[in-house]
Amino acid sequence: GKTLTVTATPAAMEDVAVYLLPNLAACIPVPTMCLAGADSGGYGQPDTMTYTNSGTSPITVLLVIDSYYLAPVSYSLVTAIN
């Protein structure tokens, strides 16, 4: 399978988290059923998440960029599939 790597880098005074969900229904349960996630960076620090599809067929996933803030946050996003 292919490997997806996602890096989200927030603006200097902002913080983000990155999650990969298998489908929209995975957003509802508590805890959310993520395929992968990253929330280790602090203010202005990047969070990088990696997920490898263990199957041989392509799959559709949902990429979620989240924040603790209610207001929109600014960030840059870099993705790679290898």
Side-chain angles (χ1 to χ4, degrees), residues 3-44:
T3 298
L4 169 67
T5 302
V6 176
T7 300
T9 304
M13 296 305 296
E14 297 175 357
D15 188 12
V16 297
V18 182
Y19 302 103
L20 194 67
L21 304 175
N23 55 53
L24 192 55
C27 290
I28 298 169
V30 177
T32 304
M33 301 302 214
C34 298
L35 296 171
D39 189 14
S40 59
Y43 293 106

Side-chain angles (χ1 to χ4, degrees), residues 65-80:
I65 309 300
D66 195 11
S67 173
Y68 292 106
Y69 303 110
L70 294 176
V73 296
S74 298
Y75 61 90
S76 65
L77 185 66
V78 176
T79 62

Side-chain angles (χ1 to χ4, degrees), residues 38-75:
D39 189 14
S40 59
Y43 293 106
Q45 300 298 311
D47 280 301
T48 300
M49 176 217 67
T50 301
Y51 172 74
T52 300
N53 178 6
S54 59
T56 56
S57 299
I59 61 171
T60 299
V61 295
L62 300 172
L63 177 62
V64 176
I65 309 300
D66 195 11
S67 173
Y68 292 106
Y69 303 110
L70 294 176
V73 296
S74 298
Y75 61 90

